[in-house]
Amino acid sequence: MSTASSPQPGSADGLAGAASVVIEGLHKSYGPLEVLKGISLSVGAGQVVCLIGPSGSGKSTLLRCVNLLEKPQQGRITIGDFDVTDPEADVDRMRRHVGMVFQQFNLFPHLSVLENCTVAQVKVLKRDKAEAERIARANLDRVGLSEKADSHPDQLSGGQQQRVAIARALSMDPSLMLFDEPTSALDPETVGDVLSIMRDLAAEGMTMLVVTHEMEFARDVADKVVFMDGGVVVEEGPAAQVIGAPKEPRTQSFLSRVLNPTQVQAPER
């Protein structure tokens, strides 16, 4: 399929509003190491899907493949009607509509909070400075940091920096938000602030694909939970079922350790 026939994000038949995601038969290897082994899953428009599983299971790699920060060797990804994996697709155009929040905050240290939230609007979306600042201030207010607009990242706590990163992503008017363990680098006291914002986004109908170790968040907010291990989907389904009553022994073992961390078990042989 070429870009002549493939709908582009932002067009009437491309990405408009909340966007669905469909992943089909995705494979990703680094040399001889196969990290993703034919992953298939879907996220409905306006849904929240949480990816859970042990470190090294391929969750973050899968997330990064969605906007081609990692390029899969095989398989297909569509966002809305846009074929991300089409070799001729305008990937930069697609990325304008997909927000991503990483484990680390990736803010520009030499720019103020407000400038961090406006620079991509001006350079990528070609908004004028006044409009970009209006939108940035609205999103900073949305994450409770309007008073920090003139501060620099090194003047903020980790939790505040992550909230700025979310405001920056939202300022691009995304159709899809990707979160890669957004609370893993935060102090326990600040985790709740970030999760609260994500809960609000979910309630507003933002399509979200979230890699997380926060089981309570996944149980309360996710429409679907996907448990991955060894580069495959072991189990998926409604959050209450996968987390509350998992069917697969590997899922049961993982959740037993995560939900009862003080319970000492002999290593698996």
Side-chain angles (χ1 to χ4, degrees), residues 16-79:
S20 60
V21 182
V22 178
I23 300 169
E24 302 171 281
L26 205 68
H27 290 261
K28 173 65 182 177
S29 297
Y30 299 100
L33 178 63
E34 190 175 16
V35 179
L36 300 178
K37 305 173 183 179
I39 296 286
S40 295
L41 62 88
S42 63
V43 186
Q47 282 192 333
V48 178
V49 173
C50 286
L51 304 176
I52 66 172
S55 298
S57 59
K59 308 181 302 296
S60 292
T61 299
L62 175 62
L63 199 74
R64 293 169 68 87
C65 283
V66 172
N67 63 355
L68 290 193
L69 292 178
E70 299 286 354
K71 189 173 181 179
Q73 280 84 23
Q74 184 180 336
R76 187 180 189 216
I77 303 169
T78 54
I79 302 176

Side-chain angles (χ1 to χ4, degrees), residues 23-241:
I23 300 169
E24 302 171 281
L26 205 68
H27 290 261
K28 173 65 182 177
S29 297
Y30 299 100
L33 178 63
E34 190 175 16
V35 179
L36 300 178
K37 305 173 183 179
I39 296 286
S40 295
L41 62 88
S42 63
V43 186
Q47 282 192 333
V48 178
V49 173
C50 286
L51 304 176
I52 66 172
S55 298
S57 59
K59 308 181 302 296
S60 292
T61 299
L62 175 62
L63 199 74
R64 293 169 68 87
C65 283
V66 172
N67 63 355
L68 290 193
L69 292 178
E70 299 286 354
K71 189 173 181 179
Q73 280 84 23
Q74 184 180 336
R76 187 180 189 216
I77 303 169
T78 54
I79 302 176
D81 295 324
F82 183 80
D83 187 350
V84 175
T85 43
D86 178 353
E88 299 182 42
D90 187 345
V91 176
D92 289 335
R93 185 178 174 90
M94 174 272 294
R95 286 178 179 153
R96 298 174 197 172
H97 300 267
V98 179
M100 186 159 186
V101 177
F102 300 87
Q103 297 178 38
Q104 302 301 325
F105 322 122
N106 295 333
L107 300 178
F108 295 112
H110 63 291
L111 298 181
S112 71
V113 164
L114 183 63
E115 290 167 335
N116 265 281
C117 293
T118 58
V119 62
Q121 294 188 66
V122 172
K123 292 184 178 295
V124 177
L125 299 184
K126 307 303 181 184
R127 287 176 177 156
D128 65 62
K129 185 178 179 180
E131 176 70 359
E133 288 190 358
R134 182 190 67 77
I135 291 169
R137 288 185 186 279
N139 282 303
L140 287 171
D141 183 62
R142 191 176 183 181
V143 301
L145 289 175
S146 56
E147 78 284 359
K148 299 293 186 180
D150 297 324
S151 300
H152 280 71
D154 63 0
Q155 298 173 302
L156 306 179
S157 69
Q160 289 173 328
Q161 290 187 59
Q162 193 63 295
R163 286 150 64 192
V164 171
I166 294 172
R168 177 179 60 183
L170 293 176
S171 293
M172 300 294 285
D173 298 329
S175 299
L176 166 69
M177 286 288 289
L178 308 175
F179 291 90
D180 187 5
E181 298 189 24
T183 61
S184 64
L186 304 182
D187 293 331
E189 285 186 325
T190 62
V191 167
D193 294 335
V194 172
L195 293 180
S196 177
I197 293 166
M198 293 172 65
R199 288 173 190 270
D200 290 344
L201 290 176
E204 293 166 9
M206 175 66 74
T207 308
M208 297 163 57
L209 186 56
V210 183
V211 174
T212 185
H213 290 296
E214 302 289 344
M215 295 300 123
E216 184 176 350
F217 172 83
R219 180 163 40 201
D220 293 347
V221 177
D223 296 286
K224 179 166 63 177
V225 170
V226 177
F227 174 68
M228 291 178 60
D229 190 27
V232 301
V233 172
V234 176
E235 185 168 356
E236 66 176 287
Q241 181 259 301

